[in-house]
Amino acid sequence: MDKPWHLYVMALLYILAGINHFRKPELYFKIIPPFTTNKKFVNEFCGLLEIMLGVYLCIPIFSNLAAISIMILLVVISPSNIYMLTNEKASLGLPKWILYLRLPLQLLLILWAYHYVDFTQV
């Protein structure tokens, strides 16, 4: 454990979020935008990616690539946050103010991952 403790917190959050994709897939099916044709595949793929990236954050040789990949994943899944905001069925019954807070939260998560990128290894 030569990485800072907060990297392991982030790793655990992604692992738990990834597991949740398999525990409650119907939750994610609702927020996947309609232009996506195979929601089951997208949900399981994202869940698996989150688990793998969370694990890879903890492995020093892979942690840099994992942090970069998390940043990319967060950008790629951002249409789901916008879809939740613009479609009442996708909002999961959350108040609008929470849905608006999710947008800058994505940016904070990207910045958190960015914090662990070692650009000398890129």
Side-chain angles (χ1 to χ4, degrees):
M1 287 185 53
D2 63 338
K3 298 287 185 180
W5 65 269
H6 37 86
L7 178 129
Y8 296 103
V9 170
M10 185 170 87
L12 181 62
L13 289 174
Y14 281 99
I15 292 167
L16 293 175
I19 290 170
N20 204 47
H21 279 262
F22 296 96
R23 285 184 59 240
K24 299 188 177 200
E26 65 283 347
L27 179 82
Y28 296 93
F29 293 161
K30 291 178 184 175
I31 67 171
I32 296 173
F35 61 79
T36 307
T37 56
N38 191 340
K39 291 185 179 200
K40 184 175 191 260
F41 172 78
V42 168
N43 175 60
E44 291 176 357
F45 183 71
C46 286
L48 184 61
L49 270 178
E50 288 177 355
I51 294 167
M52 288 173 43
L53 293 173
V55 170
Y56 288 158
L57 277 173
C58 301
I59 303 171
I61 195 167
F62 295 118
S63 63
N64 199 50
L65 180 61
I68 293 167
S69 298
I70 286 171
M71 292 167 52
I72 294 167
L73 177 64
L74 289 168
V75 170
V76 168
I77 66 169
S78 61
S80 290
N81 292 326
I82 296 165
Y83 182 58
M84 287 180 74
L85 184 62
T86 60
N87 185 294
E88 191 172 330
K89 289 181 183 178
S91 72
L92 305 176
L94 296 170
K96 282 279 190 196
W97 67 270
I98 290 179
L99 297 173
Y100 278 108
L101 276 180
R102 286 176 57 91
L103 300 176
L105 177 63
Q106 287 293 112
L107 294 175
L108 289 175
L109 291 172
I110 290 169
L111 287 173
W112 191 8
Y114 179 83
H115 179 72
Y116 304 113
V117 176
D118 179 0
F119 288 101
T120 63
Q121 295 181 8
V122 178

